[in-house]
């Protein structure tokens, strides 16, 4: 594709994606399927990876996250972010008294509702008013955020923090597609701070956990926790991969805009293109509010219909606010909470449920990890019937002493993935025994009967010990999970090969390993029986053709997607793309000197620690030993330093910013030693070698985002262009840098190696100076290009432009 074609396609993609973002996140009326959207977005990313000069600050791709941060800047809130008082919880009667469930709940709730009436009465007395209007809205169980728009442009995003000061999480919030980067206002106010909640929609949260689990990582206990954990990540690229959303319900510091009522705020935010809650009620007075509450919020205490079941996110109560904002300053506040608003939590919303643990089954994941699952006596909890719950792992079962036959307390962690909170010991039947996973599965993998062993596995939080099926190549459960992983969206995006289809493909023997898909005959796939022998249900012609098309598309996907799809342990999406951007193809990854360097550095650090002459744990005992160890240590240090320098030169590492960062010697590599080792081991293994061989036979050659030039002054360097150069357009200069093995970035950070400044440079130059980034003028830049071997020599090229098309005189 030429640059011109790329630019045109890029503009189209940007326009379409923006329109779909609004339709999906704000209007909640998507116009295309998630899959189609993802395809557009992926196309944009792939395009920008190839042509970095197309990246603009408000390209939707900028939501994919920028450089990792060292830490968050602290920001003081101009208007403090307060919390809310709860309606005083009244004593509620014990549960068993009322046989009718709905009536019992109503009676329990009545006490707190009476408190709400007296709150209203008090307020009216203080304000000397007969009647007060209220807005009632769901209390979102997410993480509070504050987002600042200056002249309609998103400029700052902050956490609540302690209410007075929060963390600057702008880079992370920019990745949330439901937060517009520009407001839809003709004449935007000088400043508008909006406040709301970041959250994960329940279905997205479930999918995230499934994905973490299938990657052998620890799932999050609930959606709120997942949201909070995600917003704290220092790498916005990771944040961008998590399905965060936001809703807004209020304002903070404003200039050039005023609101009279809270209802007006909610309506205006919506009009500005900000996501607000789909349901909220303006109530004439407290009687009216309680009427709506009974009908709409708790649905006469019949849980199937209550508000929680209608919303895509979790809520843990309703917030009631005085509508007239001009009254707010007249209502005395509590220590940390305003007087004009209050939270009410229906009692039955906080109740956990009890049920009996009938059995424990064991599931086998992609990497063979065995996960115990609780099979429960079905019980209705918070809107749906639960019959299974995760037990995480054997240690968790031991810690909680969960036994088959126990009565257990179930909570929907995140209201979707249920978990066993605790055992009701008093109800334990006689004859139960502590759970032992090995014994439970008869010492064999429940899917293939193969041997199992207890091994360290890496989870989201680090290492953990788990039982694992050792029959990596032959276990059908692992094969199914690998196939699902390979075809998932973020990998090769082959729609239609998930769940039952994957199972049947493996079961029928049509597919044994993911690459078999490419040799599968469309007819065979069409005939695949997804049902039973008695009641057959075939996959079908049309679906098979779709899979075929997706497979064709997959053949040319970039290296990063393929590297991820292979499901190499410890290689997540970001790592895969990082590695891909430094390599040409899978062969060069397989024998990568960069990855070998990373692994060697870690070995050297370990060896050095063992001989460290200053070790406190193991000091030298004799002078001779001290001398010998000093020498050994020095030799190791020198080797490490040399490797570190090479990695830094190649752009695959940076010098550590702080002492202690990056260990021995100080350098921080792009990819850590665990992932690097894992990749090299994979390609050295018979399975990895087979993959390389088969790809060759299949004529699939995934290419890196760029062809790396090894060596030369610009190889692996990151450059930023600012101002106008006399010899080349920005695109031409970018192309030259790429040819020299460098990257072009859109903005200056501490990871920038050079800023190239032409005529009338912009603020990037100031930033470069502030950060101490070396600045090149045109002559110096030209010299480096010549040294890098992409320009013949400076005399010949002065004043010439290469045409970008066929005539490129100065380019080799
Ligand atoms: S209004 C002065 N409305 O609940 C505080 N807060 O416990 C005004 N929250 O930190 C907040 N949903 O993050 C308001 N519809 C809603 C809310 C809501 C959730 C959170 C908010 C606040 C916390 C207070």
């Amino acid at each position: 594709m030429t640059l011109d074609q790329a630019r045109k396609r890029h503009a189209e993609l940007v326009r379409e994606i923006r329109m779909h973002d609004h339709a999906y996140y704000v209007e909640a009326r998507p116009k295309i399927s998630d899959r189609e959207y993802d395809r557009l977005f992926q196309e944009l990313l792939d395009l920008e990876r190839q042509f970095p000069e197309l990246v603009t600050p408000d390209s939707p791709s900028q939501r994919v996250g920028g450089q990792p941060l060292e830490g968050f800047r602290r920001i003081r809130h101009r208007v403090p972010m307060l919390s809310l008082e709860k309606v005083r919880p009244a004593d509620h009667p014990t549960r068993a008294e009322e046989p009718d469930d709905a009536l019992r709940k109503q009676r329990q709730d009545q006490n707190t509702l009476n408190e709400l009436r007296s709150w209203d009465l008090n307020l009216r007395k203080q304000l000397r008013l007969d009647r007060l209007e209220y807005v009632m809205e769901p209390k979102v169980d997410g993480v509070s955020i504050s987002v600042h728009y200056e002249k309609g442009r998103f400029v700052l995003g902050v956490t609540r923090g302690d209410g007075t000061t929060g963390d600057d999480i702008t880079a992370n919030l920019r990745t949330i597609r439901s937060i517009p980067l520009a407001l839809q206002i003709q004449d935007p106010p000088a400043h508008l701070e909006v406040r709301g909640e970041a959250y994960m929609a329940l279905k997205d949260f479930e999918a995230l956990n499934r994905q973490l689990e299938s990657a052998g990582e620890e799932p999050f206990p609930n959606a709120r926790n997942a949201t909070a954990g995600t917003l704290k990540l220092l790498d916005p690229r990771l944040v961008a991969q998590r399905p965060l959303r936001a809703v807004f319900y209020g304002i903070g510091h404003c200039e050039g805009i005023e609101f009279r009522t809270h209802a007006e705020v909610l309506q205006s935010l919506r009009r500005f293109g900000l996501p607000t809650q789909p349901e909220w009620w303006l109530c004439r007075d407290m009687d009216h509010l309680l009427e709506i509450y009974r009908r709409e919020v708790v649905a006469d205490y019949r849980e199937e219909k209550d508000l929680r079941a209608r919303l895509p996110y979790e809520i843990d109560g309703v917030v009631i606010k005085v509508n007239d904002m001009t009254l707010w300053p007249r209502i005395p506040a509590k220590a940390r909470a305003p007087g004009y608003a209050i939270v009410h939590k229906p009692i039955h919303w906080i109740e956990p449920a009890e049920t009996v643990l009938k059995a424990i089954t064991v599931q086998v994941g992609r990497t063979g990890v065995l996960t115990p699952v609780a099979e429960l006596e079905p019980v209705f909890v918070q809107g749906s019937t639960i019959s299974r719950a995760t037990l995480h792992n054997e240690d968790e079962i031991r810690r909680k002493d969960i036994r088959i036959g126990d009565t257990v307390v179930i909570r929907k962690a995140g209201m979707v993935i249920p978990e066993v909170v605790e055992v009701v010991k008093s109800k334990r039947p006689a004859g139960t025994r502590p759970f032992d996973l090995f014994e439970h599965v008869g010492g064999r993998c429940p899917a293939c009967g193969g041997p199992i062993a207890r091994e360290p596995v890496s989870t989201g939080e680090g290492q953990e010990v788990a039982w694992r099926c050792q029959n990596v190549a032959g276990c059908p459960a692992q094969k199914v999970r690998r196939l699902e992983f390979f075809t998932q969206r973020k990998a090769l995006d082959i729609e239609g090969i998930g769940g039952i289809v994957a199972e049947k493909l493996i079961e029928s023997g049509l597919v044994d390993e993911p690459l078999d898909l490419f040799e599968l005959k469309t007819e065979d796939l069409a005939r695949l029986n997804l049902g039973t022998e008695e009641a057959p249900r075939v996959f079908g012609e049309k679906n098979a053709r779709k899979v075929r098309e997706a497979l064709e598309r997959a053949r040319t996907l970039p290296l990063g997607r393929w590297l991820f799809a292979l499901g190499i342990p410890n290689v997540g999406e970001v790592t895969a793309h990082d590695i891909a951007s430094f390599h040409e193809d899978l062969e060069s990854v397989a024998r990568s000197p960069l990855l070998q360097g990373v692994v060697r550095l870690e070995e050297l650090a370990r060896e050095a620690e063992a001989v460290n002459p200053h070790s406190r744990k193991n000091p030298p005992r004799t002078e001779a030993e001290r001398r010998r160890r000093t020498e050994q240590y020095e030799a190791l240090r020198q080797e490490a330093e040399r490797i570190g320098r090479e990695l830094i030169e190649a752009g695959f590492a940076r010098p550590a910013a702080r002492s202690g960062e990056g260990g021995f010697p100080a350098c921080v590599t792009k990819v850590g030693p665990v992932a690097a080792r894992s990749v090299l081991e994979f390609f050295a293994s018979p399975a990895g070698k087979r993959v390389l061989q088969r790809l060759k036979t299949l004529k699939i050659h995934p290419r890196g985002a760029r062809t790396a030039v090894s060596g030369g002054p610009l190889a692996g360097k990151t450059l930023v262009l600012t101002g106008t150069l006399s010899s080349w357009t920005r695109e031409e200069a970018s192309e030259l840098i790429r040819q020299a093995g460098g990257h072009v970035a859109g903005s200056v950070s501490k990871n920038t190696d050079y800023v190239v400044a032409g005529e009338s440079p912009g603020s990037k130059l100031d930033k470069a100076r502030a950060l101490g980034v070396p600045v090149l003028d045109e002559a110096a830049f030209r010299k480096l290009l010549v040294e890098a071997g992409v320009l013949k020599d400076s005399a010949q090229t002065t004043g010439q432009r290469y045409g970008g098309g066929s005539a490129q005189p100065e380019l080799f």
Side-chain angles (χ1 to χ4, degrees), residues 83 117 153 166 215 331 334 342 381 397 407 409 450 466 468 476 560 605:
S83 42
R117 282 190 192 283
R153 300 246 150 233
I331 307 172
K334 298 275 161 54
I342 197 158
V381 201
I397 300 180
T407 294
V409 178
R468 204 175 211 173

Side-chain angles (χ1 to χ4, degrees), residues 225-265:
N225 193 288
T227 306
T230 302
L231 288 178
K232 277 195 221 123
L233 293 172
L234 285 169
D235 188 346
R237 290 175 305 180
L238 297 179
V239 180
Q241 290 171 30
R242 298 267 175 87
L244 288 182
R245 298 182 187 220
V247 278
F248 295 94
Y249 46 67
I251 50 165
H253 173 72
C254 295
E255 283 167 36
I257 188 162
E258 267 180 59
F259 302 96
R260 216 185 37 80
T261 68
H262 181 61
E264 189 189 322
V265 168

Side-chain angles (χ1 to χ4, degrees), residues 82-84 137-140 144 160 197 249 277 319 321 338:
L82 302 176
S83 42
L84 291 169
E137 59 191 68
K139 181 171 186 296
V140 188
S144 334
R160 176 171 182 274
E197 212 79 359
Y249 46 67
Q277 304 208 63
V319 185
K321 299 172 185 172

Side-chain angles (χ1 to χ4, degrees), residues 786-800:
V786 170
E787 272 173 46
V790 295
L791 277 189
K792 274 185 188 159
D793 76 41
S794 44
Q796 266 187 345
T797 57
T798 309
Q800 278 184 15

Side-chain angles (χ1 to χ4, degrees), residues 359-660:
I360 295 179
T361 50
V362 174
Q363 286 180 348
V364 185
R366 176 172 59 90
T367 54
V369 173
L370 307 190
T371 305
V373 176
E375 305 291 339
L376 305 164
E377 196 61 62
V379 59
F380 193 79
V381 201
Q382 299 164 5
S384 66
T385 302
I386 299 305
S387 55
R388 308 183 89 192
T390 173
L391 291 167
H392 301 295
N393 54 48
E394 188 177 24
D395 292 344
E396 177 91 357
I397 300 180
R398 292 250 171 82
R399 197 163 51 240
K400 293 178 179 165
D401 189 18
I402 298 168
R403 306 181 184 191
I404 297 169
D406 267 340
T407 294
V408 290
V409 178
I410 303 299
R411 188 183 53 204
K412 277 202 202 166
M415 273 181 67
V416 176
I417 309 266
E419 68 176 0
V420 174
V421 184
E422 59 181 358
V423 169
V424 186
K425 291 270 169 68
S426 62
K427 295 190 182 169
R428 173 168 284 169
T432 61
R433 287 196 302 142
F435 181 75
D436 182 309
L437 198 140
F438 186 82
E439 189 189 297
H440 190 70
V441 296
R444 319 206 137 270
C445 166
C448 69
I452 60 173
R454 231 167 123 80
E455 282 180 1
V457 294
S458 47
T459 68
E461 260 114 63
Q463 294 274 311
E464 189 179 279
V465 176
W467 287 101
R468 204 175 211 173
C469 165
Q470 302 296 297
N471 180 16
V472 179
C475 176
Q478 292 186 55
K479 289 185 194 173
V480 171
R481 301 279 108 77
R482 279 199 294 267
L483 186 57
E484 286 174 339
F485 189 86
F486 186 79
T487 55
Q488 66 173 307
R489 276 185 214 189
K490 291 174 162 196
L492 297 188
D493 190 16
I494 298 164
E495 191 172 4
I497 310 283
I500 182 81
V501 181
E503 267 169 43
K504 293 289 180 183
L505 279 172
I506 298 291
E507 194 191 296
S508 65
L510 278 175
V511 169
D512 195 56
E513 53 182 45
L515 287 177
D516 293 342
L517 282 176
F518 290 92
E519 278 171 337
L520 190 59
K521 292 206 184 70
T522 315
E523 313 85 88
D524 287 344
L525 181 58
R527 277 201 297 271
L528 179 70
N529 181 7
L530 304 180
T532 57
E533 261 177 52
E534 305 80 57
R537 182 167 68 85
V538 296
F539 188 60
E541 195 69 38
K542 203 168 137 217
N543 287 332
R545 253 201 325 273
K546 270 199 199 151
V547 169
R548 169 79 22 227
E549 283 161 20
L551 284 165
E552 274 318 301
R553 259 200 309 272
R555 297 177 75 94
T556 56
L557 285 176
L559 182 61
R561 300 272 291 272
W562 274 89
L563 198 51
F564 175 61
L566 296 180
I568 302 168
N570 307 301
V571 180
E573 208 193 352
V574 171
T575 304
H577 284 291
D578 277 347
I579 295 176
S581 67
F582 282 87
H583 296 86
E584 262 178 77
D585 49 22
L586 283 174
E587 272 84 14
S588 59
V589 174
R591 50 181 158 68
S592 165
L594 298 176
L595 297 179
Q596 285 169 13
V598 174
V599 171
R600 181 70 188 135
L601 271 187
E602 199 212 20
E603 285 167 6
L604 288 169
R606 232 188 351 230
E607 287 168 27
E609 199 34 56
V611 298
N612 186 352
H614 304 295
S615 165
R616 287 222 192 112
K617 261 199 281 172
N618 163 33
R621 270 158 304 169
T622 63
E623 180 54 24
E625 187 189 342
R626 194 189 60 76
R627 242 180 289 129
R628 182 175 49 78
R629 280 171 53 172
T630 307
E631 258 171 45
Q632 287 171 335
Y633 186 85
E634 184 52 24
L636 294 167
R637 200 188 57 75
Q638 280 181 13
E639 185 183 349
E641 209 136 79
R642 181 181 56 73
I643 295 175
R645 254 197 323 273
E646 280 169 14
L647 293 177
I648 291 169
E649 241 163 53
F652 204 64
R654 61 173 170 81
R658 288 169 271 122
S659 69

